Coordinates of all heavy atoms in Angstrom, one line a residue:
Chain R
R332 N -13.0 19.1 -22.3 CA -13.5 20.3 -23.1 C -13.3 20.1 -24.6 O -14.1 20.6 -25.4 CB -12.9 21.5 -22.5 CG -13.4 21.8 -21.1 CD -12.6 23.1 -20.5 NE -11.2 22.9 -20.5 CZ -10.4 23.8 -20.2 NH1 -10.8 25.0 -19.9 NH2 -9.1 23.7 -20.2
W333 N -12.3 19.4 -24.9 CA -12.0 19.1 -26.4 C -13.1 18.3 -27.1 O -13.2 18.5 -28.2 CB -10.6 18.5 -26.6 CG -9.5 19.3 -26.1 CD1 -8.7 19.0 -25.0 CD2 -9.0 20.6 -26.6 NE1 -7.8 20.0 -24.8 CE2 -7.9 21.0 -25.7 CE3 -9.4 21.4 -27.6 CZ2 -7.2 22.1 -25.9 CZ3 -8.6 22.6 -27.8 CH2 -7.6 22.9 -27.0
Y334 N -13.7 17.4 -26.3 CA -14.8 16.7 -26.9 C -16.0 17.6 -27.4 O -16.6 17.3 -28.3 CB -15.4 15.7 -25.8 CG -14.8 14.3 -26.0 CD1 -14.0 13.7 -25.0 CD2 -15.2 13.5 -27.0 CE1 -13.6 12.5 -25.1 CE2 -14.6 12.2 -27.2 CZ -13.8 11.7 -26.2 OH -13.3 10.4 -26.3
A335 N -16.2 18.6 -26.6 CA -17.3 19.6 -27.0 C -17.0 20.1 -28.4 O -17.8 20.0 -29.3 CB -17.4 20.6 -26.0
I336 N -15.8 20.7 -28.6 CA -15.5 21.3 -29.8 C -15.3 20.3 -30.9 O -15.7 20.5 -32.1 CB -14.2 22.2 -29.7 CG1 -14.0 23.0 -31.0 CG2 -13.0 21.4 -29.4 CD1 -12.9 24.1 -30.7
H337 N -14.8 19.1 -30.6 CA -14.5 18.1 -31.5 C -15.9 17.5 -32.0 O -16.1 17.2 -33.2 CB -13.8 17.0 -30.9 CG -13.1 16.0 -31.8 ND1 -12.5 14.8 -31.4 CD2 -13.1 15.9 -33.1 CE1 -12.1 14.1 -32.4 NE2 -12.5 14.7 -33.5
A338 N -16.8 17.1 -31.1 CA -18.1 16.6 -31.5 C -19.2 17.6 -31.8 O -20.3 17.2 -32.2 CB -18.6 15.7 -30.3
K339 N -18.8 18.8 -31.6 CA -19.8 19.9 -31.8 C -21.0 19.8 -31.0 O -22.2 19.9 -31.4 CB -20.2 20.0 -33.3 CG -19.0 20.3 -34.2 CD -19.4 20.6 -35.6 CE -18.2 21.0 -36.4 NZ -17.7 22.3 -36.0
V340 N -20.8 19.4 -29.7 CA -21.8 19.3 -28.7 C -21.6 20.4 -27.7 O -20.5 20.6 -27.1 CB -21.7 18.0 -28.0 CG1 -22.7 17.9 -26.8 CG2 -22.0 16.8 -29.0
P341 N -22.6 21.3 -27.5 CA -22.4 22.4 -26.5 C -22.1 22.0 -25.1 O -22.6 20.8 -24.7 CB -23.8 23.1 -26.5 CG -24.4 22.7 -27.8 CD -23.8 21.3 -28.1
M342 N -21.3 22.7 -24.4 CA -20.9 22.3 -23.1 C -21.0 23.4 -22.0 O -20.6 24.5 -22.3 CB -19.4 21.9 -23.1 CG -18.8 21.5 -21.7 SD -17.0 21.0 -21.9 CE -17.2 19.3 -22.1
L343 N -21.7 23.1 -20.9 CA -21.7 24.1 -19.8 C -20.8 23.5 -18.7 O -20.6 22.3 -18.5 CB -23.1 24.2 -19.2 CG -24.2 25.0 -20.1 CD1 -25.5 24.7 -19.6 CD2 -23.8 26.5 -19.9
E344 N -20.1 24.4 -18.0 CA -19.3 24.0 -16.9 C -19.5 24.8 -15.6 O -19.3 26.0 -15.6 CB -17.8 24.3 -17.3 CG -16.8 23.7 -16.3 CD -15.3 23.9 -16.6 OE1 -15.0 24.7 -17.4 OE2 -14.5 23.1 -16.1
P345 N -20.1 24.1 -14.6 CA -20.4 24.8 -13.3 C -19.2 24.9 -12.4 O -18.3 24.1 -12.5 CB -21.5 23.9 -12.7 CG -21.2 22.6 -13.3 CD -20.6 22.8 -14.7
S346 N -19.3 25.9 -11.6 CA -18.2 26.0 -10.5 C -18.6 25.6 -9.2 O -17.7 25.3 -8.4 CB -17.8 27.5 -10.5 OG -17.4 28.1 -11.6
T347 N -19.9 25.6 -8.9 CA -20.3 25.4 -7.5 C -21.6 24.4 -7.6 O -22.1 24.1 -8.6 CB -20.9 26.7 -6.9 OG1 -22.0 27.2 -7.7 CG2 -19.9 27.8 -6.9
S348 N -21.9 23.9 -6.4 CA -23.1 23.0 -6.3 C -24.4 23.7 -6.8 O -25.2 23.1 -7.5 CB -23.2 22.5 -4.9 OG -22.2 21.7 -4.5
Q349 N -24.5 25.0 -6.4 CA -25.7 25.8 -6.9 C -25.7 25.8 -8.5 O -26.8 25.6 -9.1 CB -25.6 27.2 -6.3 CG -26.9 28.0 -6.8 CD -28.2 27.5 -6.2 OE1 -28.3 27.5 -4.9 NE2 -29.1 27.2 -7.0
E350 N -24.6 26.0 -9.0 CA -24.5 26.1 -10.5 C -24.7 24.7 -11.1 O -25.2 24.6 -12.2 CB -23.1 26.7 -11.0 CG -23.1 28.1 -10.9 CD -21.9 28.8 -11.6 OE1 -20.9 28.1 -11.9 OE2 -21.8 30.0 -11.6

Side-chain angles (χ1 to χ4, degrees):
Chain R
R332 291 176 301 172
W333 300 110
Y334 263 114
I336 189 168
H337 193 187
K339 299 188 174 295
V340 174
M342 175 181 270
L343 283 165
E344 183 176 27
S346 301
T347 62
S348 296
Q349 180 69 58
E350 281 187 352

